[in-house]
Amino acid sequence: MRWKTLWLILILALAVTAPAVMPAAAQSGTTTITLALTDFMRNLPVDDALAEFEAQNPGIRVQPVYLPYPNFYYTAAAENIDEHLQGAEALAAAADVALVDGDSLSPEATRAGNFLDLTPLAASDAALNPADFIPAAWESFRWDNGLWALPAKIEPLLLTYDPALFDQAGLAYPDESWTLEDVAHAARTLTQYDSSGAVSIPGLVTNGSDAALLRSLYRQSLNDEAGNPRLNTPELAALLEGWAELVDEGVVSTFTTQNLVDNAIPMLIGGSFALGPDPLNPDTPGRVAAALPGGSLGITTTGFAVSGGTAHPTEAYQLARFLTENATFQSALVGYRSALMNPPLPAAPAAPDESGLVLAVSAFVDPQIAAQIDALLGQALSGAELRYADYLDAAIKAVTEGTDAVTALSDAEVKAAANLQTASALRGATPLIVATPIPEVVLAPGEIELTFSAGFAAQVGDWERLLREFAALDPQVGKVTLTSDYGVLSDYAEQNDCFYVNYNAVPAADLTQILALDPFLSADPAFSPADVAGNTLALLQRDNRTWAYPFSISPTLLNYHADLLAQAGIAEPRTGWTISAFADALRALDAVIPADQKPFTDRGFGDSSLLMLIAAYGGLPIDYRTTPPVFNFTDPATVEAIRTVLDMAKAGLIAYQELAGNGFMIMLGDGENPDPIYAEASGAGLMLVGGDIQMGANPYRMTTYPTGTYSAVSYEIGTGYISATSQNPDACYRLFGFLAQHPELFGGMPALRSQFSNPALLASVGQSALDFYTQFDALMQDPNTVIIPSPFTGELALMGDFITRRWLDAAFDDYVLHDADLLDALTDAQTKVEAFQACAATVPPYDPTNFNDYVTGLQTCASAVDPEMGSMFGPATGVSQ
């Protein structure tokens, strides 16, 4: 079950030979073991926890190995058994101990011998008492008479509902006695429809947890007494047939295009994050937690497994045992609470904070909600009970696509049994060897160490290996330390010699904290300003100097479904669309897709897509060609351009959700019908759908936004900076030149045209992406092109633009959703923007050493102009990072 990957808002290291190295076990009698963790845990208190363990176990040294998120959530066995077992083996080979859950630790993986049965070690551990754990958590990793991991943290899977909507409909609240018929009646009653009769808000959204819900309604095990899959039963077949009817009606949906923070969905299956009031609208009544219909509760258990190839099983078990109960490490794990019945309190702070929370409960769950969840934990289904849920998911999908339930369940059960046999046959066939710990670098005489941060981008990519490779090649640098703290530019500059951020910080930067790069650029024979795509270099300049190194560009782009375009008789926009051709394409697509679908969906954040379409029609409500930008919402040409685009949304050609109510909008595909055209920012987008290597059955292709009166682009620039306090700026610049030769590291379009033909980039994204890069580069150079910046930025100094755009968004909402007069709504927005600008001019300038005063000043101005802004900011007491 992969429901949690919707909200978790995801490498093995290569040893080098050039620097002098010290063996990993530097002291006699010391054993080094490795711990595989996800990349995003780099900035969490991992080192503090491991230092505690080493202090308690002086003969053991622990080396964390940070791996990209996909290394932990590889292909499910039900989808492809070979890929699943390869993923499990790679994780088990990466470290002696690995972070696991029900996705990464499967019966197939354990039968193949990838992970160690901990039963003998646990039996000899006098301090281990299974009764100390939440029962379902303890059972989550127990099958085939083995104990395959020690549980550490859990996240519940429950039904949350809006009691006000139930009251309005005269429905009784959900309870554990509910059957499928009760679910169907409530879902049909609570579903909302638009004026055309299409479903606008389904009564129940499952977030991909259909299998857990049906298991709860089934009220029987999915396993037989021997632990083998038991799916093909008449009772389960009847449930699947009834479920398929609800999905076909649209009253039940796997996913939703609703705002992710919208409480309007009557019934929603999700985790603890789905409870409580909307964090951006705290006065909104919260949702209520209930067990899944049928009386069960699902949980995802995170734990620690020991590799089947470890040479140090006892020490690895000791580490896994420590991590399950260490309060410091608990704070680094994603999840609602500890798997222990009575978790230890954190060492700091010594007293509970004002909310009364302890570390065992997520920060966004208040004590009253925690009590709701904890009262349900006795009804939780263990991960072991749901270990064949992926096969049930496959059967559910087959039934919703027309296969009869008996055949679908029979096929799923046969496939599960065959996959288990395949896994068992691999056990012992090839020795599993855990990767050797990376040697500790000892600087040779004359060598230096650089500190470097990749910020949030360090969560993905092979940064550590490449930094070691650079140190091995560079005659002066013996080591580059990748730091993990996050912050704003001033933080990075204070803590590092040099750093990378995935946005352009130059416009708001305190230039005293970074070095101008012009002396390095002019002396570098490998760098040419003419090689930089578009006008990117100019955007990194202030005071006639260049302050950042351009690494990557993340454009907002369109992905179109080639098969659906062909079905609608639309030629593929290989070189882009004109705005009139784009509008014609939307109308043609609307004739061939389901009535409840929209031809165009923006999967990104905010209003950039709308502003780019408006620009193509000749409107510039915010003219970013000047600094500061000019706001003119009521210019007649702009009003008509806005009306043209928003009328397309009103006509159902463009998917539209409230933009201003929560400060942002994000929409996803419905998981059932492919979006004909969707927009998203690259980085993730180009890597996931752009490349020929992924194409196969993937019908999506990339193109730019349509052109018209103006051509519009929106993008971010990934940039590198050298701290003004660095003692080794020359070495930092050499590092930048080395990293620029590895564009695959940055997950987007290279900022240097010479890298478009880099073989490593071609291998990672494919030729179609490279063709798009050339097309986008040409559009960036067009003098008729205007740049629409993202409303979100990594720098607080640019917060004012986000605020002013929210009033424009509110005018869009009033016209599309509430049939307001467009000119009146835009005039009101213009008035508020002008009043805010006058107030903001009195706020002291942004000071990174005291950013709270600046942010609070802008909040106060915004709330004075528009009291409804207060719900977006919360208490006007500043922010913390």
Side-chain angles (χ1 to χ4, degrees):
M1 296 191 309
R2 301 184 179 251
W3 63 274
K4 63 185 173 305
T5 59
L6 296 173
W7 63 277
L8 287 178
I9 230 90
L10 332 21
I11 295 171
L12 288 171
L14 178 66
V16 296
T17 58
V21 298
M22 180 180 293
Q27 300 176 359
S28 177
T30 298
T31 297
T32 297
I33 56 175
T34 49
L35 171 65
L37 301 171
T38 58
D39 264 325
F40 80 86
M41 297 177 71
R42 287 179 186 274
N43 69 319
L44 301 175
V46 171
D47 290 341
D48 293 340
L50 298 183
E52 292 179 48
F53 174 78
E54 291 175 350
Q56 296 175 21
N57 300 271
I60 306 176
R61 178 177 176 268
V62 182
Q63 184 179 102
V65 177
Y66 293 102
L67 305 176
Y69 190 77
N71 286 48
F72 295 85
Y73 299 100
Y74 31 81
T75 306
E79 295 176 22
N80 187 306
I81 185 59
D82 293 332
E83 291 181 6
H84 178 79
L85 293 176
Q86 290 167 7
E89 181 179 6
L91 179 58
D96 296 285
V97 180
L99 179 71
V100 295
D101 68 3
D103 285 338
S104 51
L105 189 64
S106 66
E108 293 86 354
T110 57
R111 290 199 184 187
N114 291 315
F115 297 98
L116 189 68
D117 181 4
L118 302 181
T119 302
L121 292 164
S124 63
D125 183 355
L128 180 68
N129 183 0
D132 291 338
F133 294 84
I134 295 169
W138 176 254
E139 294 296 327
S140 285
F141 301 119
R142 290 175 56 82
W143 55 76
D144 293 344
N145 298 313
L147 173 64
W148 303 104
L150 296 178
K153 206 159 189 181
I154 65 167
E155 173 64 31
L157 181 65
L158 38 76
L159 177 70
T160 72
Y161 64 93
D162 186 336
L165 295 177
F166 274 75
D167 293 341
Q168 293 171 14
L171 291 171
Y173 299 150
D175 63 41
E176 63 186 46
S177 69
W178 268 26
T179 63
L180 181 60
E181 288 72 25
D182 297 311
V183 174
H185 175 64
R188 289 173 174 136
T189 303
L190 294 166
T191 293
Q192 299 178 33
Y193 301 86
D194 62 22
S195 57
S196 70
V199 171
S200 58
I201 300 179
L204 170 63
V205 174
T206 66
N207 276 329
S209 299
D210 304 47
L213 175 56
L214 289 181
R215 163 58 186 85
S216 183
L217 290 167
Y218 182 45
R219 294 181 170 88
Q220 298 181 50
S221 177
L222 300 178
N223 321 313
D224 62 21
E225 293 181 357
N228 296 312
R230 181 180 60 188
L231 303 174
N232 189 16
T233 69
E235 297 85 355
L236 195 52
L239 281 172
L240 258 65
E241 294 288 1
W243 185 254
E245 292 179 8
L246 300 177
V247 172
D248 184 61
E249 291 176 31
V251 300
V252 168
S253 177
T254 300
F255 303 113
T256 179
T257 57
Q258 295 298 309
N259 243 328
L260 293 184
V261 292
D262 192 347
N263 278 335
I265 300 170
M267 295 184 290
L268 180 70
I269 295 178
S272 56
F273 59 90
L275 289 167
D278 180 339
L280 297 176
N281 291 294
D283 295 332
T284 303
R287 304 179 70 85
V288 175
L292 299 176
S296 298
L297 188 75
I299 63 168
T300 290
T301 304
T302 300
F304 293 94
V306 174
S307 171
T310 183
H312 310 289
T314 301
E315 293 84 353
Y317 172 82
Q318 287 176 256
L319 176 62
R321 177 86 164 81
F322 171 85
L323 296 176
T324 64
E325 60 185 19
N326 178 261
T328 301
F329 200 84
Q330 285 284 326
S331 65
L333 294 175
V334 173
Y336 158 72
R337 59 155 292 158
S338 168
L340 292 167
M341 295 288 289
N342 298 297
L345 295 177
D353 61 22
E354 293 179 358
S355 70
L357 300 183
V358 296
L359 192 64
V361 178
S362 298
F364 49 78
V365 180
D366 67 31
Q368 184 176 4
I369 293 172
Q372 288 185 45
I373 298 175
D374 286 349
L376 298 170
L377 288 178
Q379 301 163 249
L381 295 168
S382 73
E385 171 55 37
L386 293 171
R387 63 187 183 271
Y388 299 119
D390 281 336
Y391 295 95
L392 179 54
D393 274 326
I396 294 170
K397 184 175 187 295
V399 172
T400 58
E401 292 176 349
T403 303
D404 70 273
V406 172
T407 298
L409 288 170
S410 176
D411 290 347
E413 185 174 304
V414 169
K415 185 175 185 179
N419 285 351
L420 289 170
Q421 291 178 356
T422 297
S424 297
L426 293 177
R427 189 178 189 91
T430 304
L432 178 62
I433 300 174
V434 175
T436 304
I438 300 168
E440 180 181 348
V441 174
V442 178
L443 296 178
E447 287 187 329
I448 64 170
E449 176 181 355
L450 291 180
T451 55
F452 176 82
S453 173
F456 189 78
Q459 293 184 11
V460 295
D462 210 355
W463 289 92
E464 286 189 335
R465 180 186 66 80
L466 288 172
L467 293 178
R468 284 194 299 276
E469 184 177 328
F470 168 75
L473 296 171
D474 191 88
Q476 182 186 14
V477 178
K479 180 180 181 181
V480 182
T481 297
L482 181 64
T483 63
S484 58
D485 291 336
Y486 299 160
V488 293
L489 181 134
S490 58
D491 300 319
Y492 295 127
E494 290 173 3
Q495 299 165 11
N496 300 278
D497 289 292
C498 34
F499 55 95
Y500 167 84
V501 294
N502 57 0
Y503 59 92
N504 177 13
V506 171
D510 178 353
L511 299 182
T512 65
Q513 296 184 317
I514 55 178
L515 293 180
L517 302 185
D518 302 275
F520 304 105
L521 296 171
S522 60
D524 182 2
F527 182 87
S528 169
D531 190 34
V532 182
N535 62 342
T536 300
L537 199 60
L539 299 176
L540 305 182
Q541 296 172 337
R542 279 173 55 188
D543 301 337
N544 296 316
R545 289 187 288 178
T546 307
W547 299 94
Y549 192 99
F551 284 110
S552 63
I553 294 169
S554 297
T556 298
L557 53 91
L558 299 182
N559 292 287
Y560 62 89
H561 194 293
D563 295 345
L564 288 176
L565 260 63
Q567 183 180 343
I570 304 167
E572 288 192 40
R574 296 288 187 178
T575 58
W577 270 304
T578 64
I579 188 62
S580 60
F582 178 73
D584 290 342
L586 296 187
R587 286 187 282 268
L589 286 166
D590 193 45
V592 300
I593 60 176
D596 59 347
Q597 258 198 297
K598 304 295 187 290
F600 175 58
T601 300
D602 183 359
R603 293 189 187 176
F605 291 93
D607 57 9
S608 296
S609 281
L610 294 176
L611 292 181
M612 285 192 282
L613 295 177
I614 289 167
Y617 278 111
L620 295 177
I622 308 174
D623 190 347
Y624 287 104
R625 296 175 298 178
T626 64
T627 303
V630 174
F631 294 80
N632 189 350
F633 300 165
T634 57
D635 174 78
T638 292
V639 173
E640 288 313 304
I642 293 173
R643 189 188 309 277
T644 300
V645 173
L646 297 186
D647 281 348
M648 295 166 73
K650 280 185 152 186
L653 299 178
I654 297 175
Y656 192 95
Q657 297 289 333
E658 185 180 29
L659 279 168
N662 292 310
F664 68 89
M665 175 180 72
I666 180 172
M667 289 188 285
L668 303 172
D670 65 8
E672 297 163 9
N673 298 303
D675 290 317
I677 305 171
Y678 72 87
E680 69 179 351
S682 75
L686 291 178
M687 302 298 287
L688 290 177
V689 303
D692 292 334
I693 58 171
Q694 292 99 345
M695 277 304 174
N698 185 350
Y700 284 103
R701 304 291 187 272
M702 297 178 296
T703 192
T704 56
Y705 270 73
T707 58
T709 304
Y710 300 103
S711 302
V713 294
S714 183
Y715 59 91
E716 267 295 358
I717 310 170
T719 48
Y721 303 83
I722 300 176
S723 170
T725 60
S726 174
Q727 299 300 303
N728 302 289
D730 291 343
C732 278
Y733 183 79
R734 292 197 302 273
L735 174 60
F736 287 174
F738 172 82
L739 293 176
Q741 304 302 309
H742 295 274
E744 75 281 2
L745 184 65
F746 301 100
M749 169 181 166
L752 302 180
R753 295 188 184 95
S754 56
Q755 294 302 313
F756 290 2
S757 58
N758 188 306
L761 186 66
L762 175 63
S764 65
V765 301
Q767 185 60 48
S768 64
L770 302 188
D771 293 342
F772 172 81
Y773 298 158
T774 302
Q775 180 184 353
F776 193 81
D777 178 33
L779 189 60
M780 292 169 69
Q781 297 178 74
D782 188 332
N784 197 41
T785 296
V786 295
I787 300 173
I788 307 294
S790 167
F792 301 94
T793 176
E795 285 298 313
L796 290 173
L798 303 179
M799 180 180 177
D801 187 46
F802 168 73
I803 294 173
T804 50
R805 279 170 71 162
R806 191 168 185 261
W807 283 306
L808 178 62
D809 294 342
F812 293 171
D813 290 344
D814 286 344
Y815 180 69
V816 175
L817 303 178
H818 309 297
D819 292 322
D821 180 84
L822 180 59
L823 181 59
D824 288 347
L826 291 171
T827 301
D828 179 64
Q830 181 79 32
T831 301
K832 289 175 178 174
V833 167
E834 292 173 355
F836 172 76
Q837 289 178 319
C839 179
T842 67
V843 174
Y846 174 76
D847 179 358
T849 64
N850 189 19
F851 59 82
N852 268 350
D853 286 350
Y854 176 79
V855 173
T856 302
L858 293 186
Q859 291 179 3
T860 301
C861 286
S863 298
V865 171
D866 182 1
E868 293 184 4
M869 277 286 194
S871 65
M872 183 179 74
F873 297 123
T877 57
V879 298
S880 60
Q881 289 198 348

